[in-house]
Amino acid sequence: MQNPRCSFLILFIQLVSIISFCSYARQIRGEDNKTSALEVDVGIILDLETNVGKVMNISILLALADYHANASRGAIKIVPHFRDSKRNDVEAASAAINLLKDVQVQAIFGPQMSTQTDFVIDIGNRTKVPIISPATSPSLSVKENPFFIRGALPSSSQTKAIAAVVRNYDWRQVVIIYEDSSYGTGIVPHLTDALLEINTLVSYRSVLSPSANDDEILKELYNLNTKQTRVFIVHLQPYLASRLFLKAKEAGMMSSGYAWIITDVLTSLLDSVDNSVIESSMQGVLGIKPYIPRSNELNNYTRRWRKRFRQEYPDMDPVELNVYGLWAYDSITALTKAIAKVGTTIIPKFKKADTRENLTDLDALGTSEFGSLLLDSMQNTTLKTGLSGEFRIIDGELQLYTYEIVNIIGKGERSVGFWTEKDGILHKLKMNSETAKSMNEQLAAIIWPGESTIVPRGWEIPTSGEKLKVGVPVKGGLEQFIKVEINAKTQAVTVTGFIPDVFKEVIEHLPYAIPYEFIPFPIDSPTSQDYDDLVYKISSKEYDAVVGDVTILASRAKYVDFTLPFSESGISAVVSVRNDDRKNAWIFLKPLKSELWITTGGFFIFIGFVVWVLEHRVNKEFRGPKHKQVGMIFWFSFSTLVFAHRERVTSNFTRFVLIVWVFVVLVLTSSYTANLTSMLTVQQLQPSITDLNDLIKNGEYVGYQEGSFVKDILKHMKFDSSKFRSYSTLEEYSDALSRGSKNGGVGAIVDELPYLRLFLNKYCRKYIMVGPTYKAAGFGFAFPKGSPLVPDVSRAVLLVMEGEFMNNIIQKWFGNETECPKQDGMAIASSLTLDSFKGLFLITGVSAGSALLLFVLIFLYQNREILATDDSVWQKLCAIANAFDKEKDNRNSMSEKPSEGNEIQTATLFTESEASTEILPNFSLQSPEIRISDGLGASPPPEGFSTTEPGTPVHENITRITEER
C-alpha cells in the first residue's frame, strides 16, 4: 500500500510543474503582467579604453534608458550586451562571435574603428545580423555589405567642403598629410578627385606611420618646408596630430604664410587634444566638422550626459560630448524604433544550420530570422528631431547635410562659415538650417598662423636661400627688345631692353617679393641653339623661368606654363616698295583690270549692234552705205561715254535698252574717275610682291630672324628650305631686301609683328608689310609646369598693360610710331575688277538680249509669208535679209498725222517765198511727199526748233488747212 505522504509529494510536484509550465507559456505569449515584455538582445562593441568609446557608451545607455522610460506597458524590452574591443581587431572579432554564438544578439552597434568593423561586417553578412557602426572609412561600402549600416558620415563626404575652402582662397597646390592606415588612406583618392575638379593639384603626399617618433615627424616637416607649397591638409588621429603640430611649431611652419586645414575627425575631437598643444601650436588652423544645430533638447541632454558620465567614470577628467556621442544616441534611438516597428511578428531566435560534418565555427552560428526584418526597417529611417540634427539613413548610409568651418583661436574654435552641397560656402545659416540669401558668400575674417590677417598665397620660394634662376637669350641685334651684357671682370650680368623692363615692373606689381637673377643663354649659329632649347632648360630644372622674346607656342606649352602675353601677336612679311606709278605714261589704264576693259569694250559693241538692229528699218540715221552703218554701230554706243548721242531713236525697244546702258556707263565712268584720281593724287607705297605664294613660284629667297620658330612656319607653308636666309639685325634685313634674291638678298622678310613694326618704323619709306597675317600668341614669360607663380604673374601682366607704364616704355624703346605712316592695313588704291560689275553687265545683257529677241520675233511674224513659201532655207534667209534691209514704209502714218517738224518746215518754206493765201488751195492738193524736208534734200532741223513763232498768220493758215484736209 502506497504511503499517503509519498502520494501527496508526487501530487505536489506535478502541480508545481503544471504551474511552472503555464507561467512560462504566458511569458512567451506576453500574458504575464510582471514579465510580459518580449526581450531583444543587442550587442555593443566599443573601445572602452578610449575617450570616444566612453562618450558613446554613456550616450547608448541614455538612449536605451529614454526608450524604456517612454515605452508603453508590454513593449519590447531591449537588453544591451557590452563588449570591449580593447583597440584590437582580433578582440573585436572575438566579441562579435561571442555575442552571436552565446547571446544570439539580433543587432550589433560597433565596433568604432574601421579595421575592426571590416571583419565584423563579414560576420554580420553571414549571420544576417545588422551591424550598425560609426566607422568612417570610405573603403567600407554599404553597397557591397548588405547588413552594414553606417551610423556616421564617411570621411569622403567632407572632401568637397575642403575643396571649396581651397578654391575660396585660390590655392593651386596643396600637400596632404595623412596616416598610414586604412583610416588615413581611405580619404586620399576622394580628396584628390575633389581638388582636381577645382584645378588644384596635390603637389606632395606625406604619409606618417601611427608609430612614428618625433624625429621622424620633424624630418618629414623639414622636407615639406623645402618645397614651394604652403597649404597643408591634415588627416590624422588626435594623438598623432598633436605631435605633428608641436613639431610644426618647432620647425617654424606655424608662422605667417602657412595655411593648415584639419579634417572632421580631428576637428570634432578637438577637446581630446591637450590645451597646451592648441594654444601653442594650432593657432590659426582651419577645421571642417559636421554642423550640429543648437536646440533646447541638445542642451538638456548635454547636462544629463555630463551627470551620467561623472557617475560612470568618477575618476576621469571631464570629457566633452562630441558628435560621435550624438550619432551613437541617434543610432540606438533609430534601432529601438526599428525593433518596435518589427514588433512580435517573429520570435527573436537563430536558425541553426543543418547538422553535418566539416562545419566551421561561423557556419555553426546559424542565421537570424529577426535580423532581416530589422534591416529592412533600419536601412531607410529618419529622425526629424535627432540630437545631431536631421538624422537620416538612406540605403544604409547616413546622409550629409551641412559642414561647419571653424578657426582655432585661443583655447577653442570660432565658427567662420558653413558649407552645403547645394549652396557651397556660406557665411551664415538661418535658424531652420536653410541657407541665408545673402550676397556675401565668403567666410568670415580668419586669423591665420602667426596671428596674420593676410590670406596666405599658398606657396613660397623654397627656404634654401637660392634666388629664382631666370634664363635670358643672348643674341646680336634687336637690342631694343632685350640686350644682355656680361662684365668681363666681375662676370656681372646686365639685362636691358623692352622685355626686361616689363618683367621688372611685373615683379614689382606682385603682392610679395621674389629674388631673382638673370642667367645668359646664347642663341647664335655657332652653338646651334634656339629658343626651343632655352625653353627646355626649364623642364630640365636648370632654370626656374625664362624672360625674353619667347613666343607662346603649343609645342612649347607641353613642357612649360606661359603667363598671359604682354605683346601683340601675329606673323607677317615685309617686302620692298615699287617705284611711284604716277610717273607711268600708261597709268590711265590701271584703274580697270584688263578683263574689265575687254568686257566693257565688248558690251559697247554689243549695245551698238542691238541699237542698229532695232533702228535700221525705221530710222534713216542708221541707214546708208555699209561702212556708214558699221561706223554707226561703234560710234553710237561709244559716244555715250562722254556726251549724249545726237542721233534720234524711234523704237521703244531702243529707248529701253539705252536707259539701262546709260546707267551702266554712268557707274563705270564714275568708278574709273574716282580710282584714277586716287592713283594720281595719293602717294602710294605699292609692294613689289603682294602674295607670298609668288615667292614660292618664282623660287626667291626668304629671310627670317636667326633662332626664331618662323623657320618652321615657312617650312609648313611649303617654302624650299634651301631658299632660307637668317639675319640678326634690322640693318641686315634692309640690306637683304634692297639687294633682292638675284643679288644675294631676299624677296621678303617673314617675322613676328613686334620686330616688323620696329623695322618699318626705321625704314618706313622703303618697305611695306604685306598679308596675310598668321596668328600667334605673342611673347610671354615661361615657368615650370604647375608653377603657382603663373596666375599671379599673369594678373600682374594685366595690371602693367592697363597702366600708363606700357605706353611710356614703348615710347622709350621704340620711339613715336606716329612719325612714320602706318602701312600695314593701309587702303591702297588698286585696279577695279570684273567681279565688282558682274551684276550691271548681267542686267545690261538680259535687257538688250530681251529687246533684240522680241524684235526678231515680231519681225518674223510680220514676214511669216516668206517663211511659209516652198523656197529653200538659203532663199528664205536671203528674203528675210532683204526685207530687213528695206526701209519700213511709214507714209500712211505721216499723211494721217504730220509731224511737228514737217509743219514747221512747211511754214518756213512759205515764209521764205512770201507765199500768198491765193496759192494755198493749190498747195493743199500736193502729195504728202513733197511736204517733207527730205524731198528737198535737207536734213530736219533740231527738234523743237522753228523759224516761225506759234500763233502767226501763216501758222494758223497751215493749221486750218491741215484740219480741213
Side-chain angles (χ1 to χ4, degrees):
M1 183 174 178
Q2 188 174 7
N3 190 341
R5 289 186 178 183
C6 292
S7 300
F8 176 79
L9 181 61
I10 293 172
L11 181 62
F12 177 78
I13 293 175
Q14 291 176 346
L15 180 62
V16 171
S17 301
I18 294 172
I19 293 173
S20 299
F21 177 80
C22 293
S23 176
Y24 177 78
R26 285 196 303 269
Q27 180 180 355
I28 295 299
R29 293 192 302 269
E31 296 175 356
D32 185 75
N33 292 333
K34 295 182 180 180
T35 58
S36 61
L38 178 67
E39 292 184 356
V40 175
D41 297 300
V42 174
I44 311 293
I45 303 176
L46 298 173
D47 288 332
L48 295 177
E49 297 179 2
T50 63
N51 289 343
V52 176
K54 294 174 181 178
V55 168
M56 288 193 292
N57 180 39
I58 301 301
S59 294
I60 293 171
L61 292 175
L62 290 176
L64 292 174
D66 290 344
Y67 166 73
H68 290 115
N70 298 324
S72 60
R73 186 180 181 87
I76 297 176
K77 181 180 180 180
I78 299 177
V79 181
H81 301 271
F82 289 88
R83 297 291 187 273
D84 186 3
S85 60
K86 299 178 182 180
R87 298 186 179 183
N88 188 281
D89 297 350
V90 176
E91 289 287 344
S94 299
I97 294 174
N98 173 259
L99 290 170
L100 293 170
K101 181 179 180 181
D102 299 334
V103 183
Q104 294 190 349
V105 294
Q106 302 301 320
I108 294 178
F109 179 88
Q112 65 192 58
M113 302 301 295
S114 299
T115 54
Q116 299 171 5
T117 306
D118 193 11
F119 185 70
V120 175
I121 288 175
D122 293 335
I123 300 175
N125 292 334
R126 182 166 298 196
T127 59
K128 297 184 179 180
V129 172
I131 306 298
I132 307 165
S133 173
T136 60
S137 175
S139 61
L140 301 177
S141 173
V142 296
K143 295 181 179 179
E144 298 177 359
N145 300 283
F147 281 84
F148 172 48
I149 298 174
R150 196 192 304 273
L153 289 176
S155 58
S156 59
S157 63
Q158 64 182 317
T159 56
K160 291 185 178 180
I162 296 173
V165 174
V166 172
R167 182 175 59 180
N168 188 69
Y169 296 108
D170 293 328
W171 293 325
R172 296 303 177 189
Q173 292 186 3
V174 300
V175 171
I176 301 177
I177 304 175
Y178 61 96
E179 183 179 307
D180 188 12
S181 64
S182 59
Y183 158 79
T185 57
I187 193 177
V188 173
H190 300 276
L191 182 56
T192 303
D193 292 342
L195 292 171
L196 287 177
E197 289 180 3
I198 62 170
N199 297 321
T200 298
L201 299 177
V202 178
S203 61
Y204 187 75
R205 297 178 182 178
S206 178
V207 185
L208 295 179
S209 171
S211 59
N213 57 41
D214 291 347
D215 291 338
E216 292 173 340
I217 295 175
L218 190 59
K219 180 180 178 181
E220 181 64 20
L221 288 173
Y222 281 139
N223 178 45
L224 295 178
N225 212 23
T226 61
K227 304 181 183 302
Q228 288 187 341
T229 308
R230 291 295 180 264
V231 180
F232 305 101
I233 300 175
V234 180
H235 184 63
L236 300 174
Q237 302 262 10
Y239 172 72
L240 186 57
S242 300
R243 296 165 55 207
L244 172 75
F245 281 105
L246 284 173
K247 294 304 174 183
K249 179 70 174 181
E250 181 180 337
M253 299 174 66
M254 295 304 300
S255 58
S256 178
Y258 290 84
W260 295 83
I261 302 175
I262 56 178
T263 57
D264 60 349
V265 172
L266 181 56
T267 309
S268 299
L269 302 179
L270 197 61
D271 62 290
S272 63
V273 179
D274 190 87
N275 287 335
S276 61
V277 176
I278 296 176
E279 294 182 29
S280 65
S281 307
M282 296 186 66
Q283 296 298 295
V285 174
L286 289 182
I288 307 292
K289 69 175 184 178
Y291 171 63
I292 305 299
R294 307 305 300 178
S295 64
N296 293 330
E297 292 78 4
L298 179 59
N299 294 334
N300 295 332
Y301 175 77
T302 303
R303 288 191 292 269
R304 291 174 52 211
W305 184 91
R306 289 173 179 171
K307 181 179 179 180
R308 184 65 180 268
F309 189 88
R310 286 193 297 268
Q311 294 174 357
E312 296 290 335
Y313 306 102
D315 298 332
M316 277 189 62
D317 293 334
V319 176
E320 292 298 326
L321 176 64
N322 53 49
V323 68
Y324 293 97
L326 299 178
W327 281 337
Y329 182 94
D330 290 340
S331 297
I332 295 300
T333 302
L335 177 61
T336 59
K337 289 183 177 293
I339 292 174
K341 184 177 180 181
V342 174
T344 58
T345 56
I346 186 172
I347 298 176
K349 63 178 182 178
F350 274 65
K351 181 181 179 181
K352 297 296 182 179
D354 295 336
T355 303
R356 59 175 180 263
E357 297 180 357
N358 299 327
L359 283 178
T360 64
D361 291 339
L362 294 180
D363 292 330
L365 294 177
T367 57
S368 172
E369 298 178 353
F370 189 80
S372 298
L373 298 177
L374 186 60
L375 178 68
D376 294 337
S377 179
M378 188 67 182
Q379 275 189 327
N380 295 280
T381 184
T382 301
L383 299 180
K384 291 290 185 180
T385 58
L387 291 179
S388 61
E390 184 178 353
F391 187 84
R392 182 175 54 184
I393 294 178
I394 297 179
D395 295 331
E397 191 85 69
L398 182 61
Q399 298 302 298
L400 168 68
Y401 180 66
T402 303
Y403 273 104
E404 184 178 10
I405 304 169
V406 299
N407 185 202
I408 299 178
I409 301 295
K411 296 182 179 180
E413 60 190 38
R414 178 174 62 92
S415 177
V416 294
F418 303 89
W419 179 88
T420 65
E421 192 167 12
K422 177 182 179 182
D423 301 307
I425 288 180
L426 296 168
H427 181 52
K428 292 182 179 180
L429 292 177
K430 287 185 178 181
M431 294 303 296
N432 58 0
S433 298
E434 295 180 359
T435 56
K437 294 182 179 179
S438 172
M439 296 301 293
N440 183 16
E441 295 184 354
Q442 301 296 324
L443 297 176
I446 295 175
I447 304 299
W448 300 96
E451 298 183 357
S452 173
T453 58
I454 300 175
V455 177
R457 61 177 177 269
W459 68 276
E460 291 284 353
I461 299 298
T463 57
S464 58
E466 297 181 0
K467 296 181 179 180
L468 198 69
K469 294 179 290 185
V470 179
V472 290
V474 180
K475 60 181 182 178
L478 297 174
E479 297 177 348
Q480 294 90 339
F481 288 94
I482 186 168
K483 179 181 179 181
V484 180
E485 296 177 323
I486 304 176
N487 190 294
K489 295 182 179 180
T490 63
Q491 297 299 312
V493 178
T494 303
V495 183
T496 58
F498 168 73
I499 296 174
D501 283 359
V502 172
F503 177 73
K504 294 173 184 176
E505 187 70 14
V506 166
I507 294 299
E508 291 181 3
H509 276 74
L510 292 175
Y512 43 84
I514 295 182
Y516 60 89
E517 61 177 345
F518 290 119
I519 301 178
F521 181 84
I523 295 180
D524 47 36
S525 297
T527 60
S528 300
Q529 296 185 124
D530 56 14
Y531 284 86
D532 289 340
D533 297 320
L534 173 60
V535 171
Y536 296 153
K537 291 291 183 180
I538 296 179
S539 59
S540 63
K541 297 184 179 181
E542 295 184 40
Y543 297 157
D544 298 319
V546 165
V547 171
D549 47 350
V550 180
T551 303
I552 302 173
L553 299 177
S555 58
R556 296 171 180 172
K558 295 179 180 179
Y559 305 96
V560 297
D561 281 346
F562 285 98
T563 64
L564 291 177
F566 56 86
S567 70
E568 60 183 333
S569 60
I571 302 170
S572 193
V574 166
V575 298
S576 58
V577 176
R578 287 182 186 174
N579 295 327
D580 195 348
D581 285 336
R582 293 181 297 175
K583 301 177 183 179
N584 190 346
W586 301 98
I587 191 174
F588 67 89
L589 295 176
K590 288 185 176 297
L592 305 183
K593 286 284 188 180
S594 57
E595 64 269 17
L596 184 56
W597 278 117
I598 296 173
T599 303
T600 303
F603 266 86
F604 273 119
I605 298 173
F606 173 66
I607 296 299
F609 171 76
V610 171
V611 171
W612 175 81
V613 170
L614 298 176
E615 295 289 325
H616 177 69
R617 299 181 65 239
V618 296
N619 194 335
K620 285 188 173 295
E621 298 290 345
F622 293 86
R623 300 188 63 80
K626 290 183 173 56
H627 65 274
K628 177 185 176 182
Q629 297 181 46
V630 173
M632 182 59 68
I633 290 175
F634 286 91
W635 159 256
F636 184 83
S637 59
F638 277 95
S639 65
T640 57
L641 273 175
V642 291
F643 53 82
H645 55 276
R646 298 178 57 87
E647 294 76 20
R648 297 175 57 205
V649 294
T650 60
S651 173
N652 288 330
F653 286 145
T654 307
R655 294 187 180 101
F656 169 70
V657 172
L658 288 180
I659 288 173
V660 178
W661 175 244
V662 169
F663 174 74
V664 175
V665 170
L666 173 65
V667 174
L668 281 172
T669 53
S670 300
S671 303
Y672 174 85
T673 304
N675 208 24
L676 180 61
T677 302
S678 176
M679 290 182 174
L680 293 175
T681 57
V682 178
Q683 182 180 1
Q684 301 168 17
L685 301 177
Q686 295 277 4
S688 58
I689 297 173
T690 58
D691 193 348
L692 293 181
N693 291 325
D694 295 339
L695 296 173
I696 301 176
K697 295 177 183 178
N698 300 334
E700 296 196 42
Y701 285 88
V702 180
Y704 65 94
Q705 185 181 163
E706 186 175 356
S708 174
F709 73 98
V710 173
K711 180 179 180 181
D712 297 328
I713 299 294
L714 294 174
K715 291 180 180 179
H716 184 71
M717 295 169 60
K718 308 302 181 183
F719 275 93
D720 186 1
S721 58
S722 63
K723 300 294 183 180
F724 294 164
R725 287 175 176 171
S726 61
Y727 304 99
S728 301
T729 65
L730 301 181
E731 291 74 16
E732 291 178 354
Y733 279 7
S734 178
D735 179 67
L737 286 173
S738 61
R739 284 189 284 120
S741 296
K742 297 181 180 179
N743 299 315
V746 295
I749 294 290
V750 180
D751 209 340
E752 296 177 77
L753 289 181
Y755 304 115
L756 296 184
R757 293 201 189 284
L758 181 63
F759 175 70
L760 293 177
N761 197 33
K762 185 175 181 179
Y763 302 97
C764 58
R765 302 295 177 182
K766 297 177 61 177
Y767 309 103
I768 190 172
M769 191 183 303
V770 295
T773 299
Y774 299 92
K775 296 299 181 182
F779 298 154
F781 304 126
F783 291 90
K785 272 286 187 182
S787 172
L789 270 174
V790 174
D792 290 342
V793 175
S794 295
R795 281 188 287 268
V797 167
L798 293 178
L799 292 175
V800 171
M801 294 186 66
E802 293 172 358
E804 187 64 25
F805 171 82
M806 207 66 179
N807 295 330
N808 296 334
I809 196 174
I810 291 175
Q811 177 71 25
K812 173 183 176 182
W813 291 104
F814 305 127
N816 190 357
E817 294 186 356
T818 59
E819 296 176 357
C820 183
K822 194 173 182 180
Q823 299 164 356
D824 58 298
M826 184 179 67
I828 299 176
S830 59
S831 301
L832 299 175
T833 63
L834 178 61
D835 295 335
S836 302
F837 300 92
K838 282 183 178 180
L840 289 175
F841 287 124
L842 179 62
I843 295 173
T844 303
V846 171
S847 59
S850 301
L852 182 63
L853 178 62
L854 289 175
F855 171 80
V856 172
L857 293 177
I858 294 173
F859 175 75
L860 293 176
Y861 178 77
Q862 292 175 348
N863 296 274
R864 57 187 180 278
E865 65 277 1
I866 297 177
L867 301 176
T869 61
D870 295 334
D871 297 338
S872 64
V873 175
W874 176 252
Q875 290 175 336
K876 291 180 181 180
L877 291 176
C878 291
I880 290 295
N882 291 332
F884 173 76
D885 189 57
K886 185 178 179 181
E887 184 179 5
K888 186 176 180 180
D889 187 5
N890 290 331
R891 288 178 298 174
N892 295 332
S893 60
M894 299 172 95
S895 62
E896 293 174 359
K897 188 176 181 179
S899 65
E900 181 182 353
N902 292 336
E903 294 178 4
I904 295 173
Q905 294 173 30
T906 305
T908 305
L909 176 63
F910 277 91
T911 302
E912 293 175 352
S913 61
E914 297 180 351
S916 64
T917 57
E918 286 77 9
I919 66 172
L920 289 176
N922 297 330
F923 175 76
S924 62
L925 298 175
Q926 295 176 356
S927 63
E929 288 78 8
I930 65 173
R931 296 188 300 106
I932 303 175
S933 60
D934 293 343
L936 300 177
S939 60
E943 188 174 338
F945 179 80
S946 175
T947 57
T948 307
E949 292 288 329
T952 59
V954 175
H955 186 274
E956 293 175 355
N957 292 336
I958 293 175
T959 303
R960 189 183 311 110
I961 294 171
T962 304
E963 290 175 353
E964 291 175 356
R965 294 184 61 188

